[in-house]
Amino acid sequence: MQGKAEGIVIAAFPTGSPTPAMDEAIKRVMAKGIPVVMTNRGGVGRVRDTRVRAGESSAYLWGDNLTPQKARILLMLALTKTKDPKELQRLLNEF
């Protein structure tokens, strides 16, 4: 029996910027409706969407100052209530 991920948390580089190959793989996952949260593997610092300022939009969810472990727990709890990306991002920002 294979399990299906309901959400994915990525422990990225401190800048939170995925490599081009990683970006393509993430886009394939998100196309299936699976939310992806970008966090900082360094454990310190904030990960935010910097591409919005550059005029691009992003479908990633951003873990801001959450460690990957905390983001995973929060995502698991949030997914029991909603799958709406805007609401998931709001919850990640709030906690």
Side-chain angles (χ1 to χ4, degrees), residues 5-89:
E6 291 185 39
I8 296 174
V9 174
I10 296 176
F13 294 107
T15 61
S17 300
T19 64
M22 187 175 163
D23 194 43
E24 286 303 314
I26 294 167
K27 285 179 183 176
R28 286 193 305 270
V29 169
M30 291 187 308
K32 296 178 183 178
I34 298 171
V36 175
V37 180
M38 194 68 70
T39 63
N40 179 351
R41 78 170 65 186
V44 179
R46 303 183 99 159
V47 179
R48 293 184 174 169
D49 189 358
T50 56
R51 294 187 285 181
V52 171
R53 279 185 260 146
E56 299 177 36
S57 63
S58 173
Y60 301 130
L61 299 172
W62 297 91
D64 194 12
N65 63 345
L66 295 171
T67 64
Q69 298 84 352
K70 289 178 181 179
R72 179 177 181 256
I73 292 168
L74 184 54
L75 182 61
M76 287 189 311
L77 291 170
L79 286 170
T80 66
K81 297 295 179 192
T82 185
K83 301 234 189 279
D84 177 53
K86 287 182 181 181
E87 182 63 11
L88 291 172
Q89 185 64 68

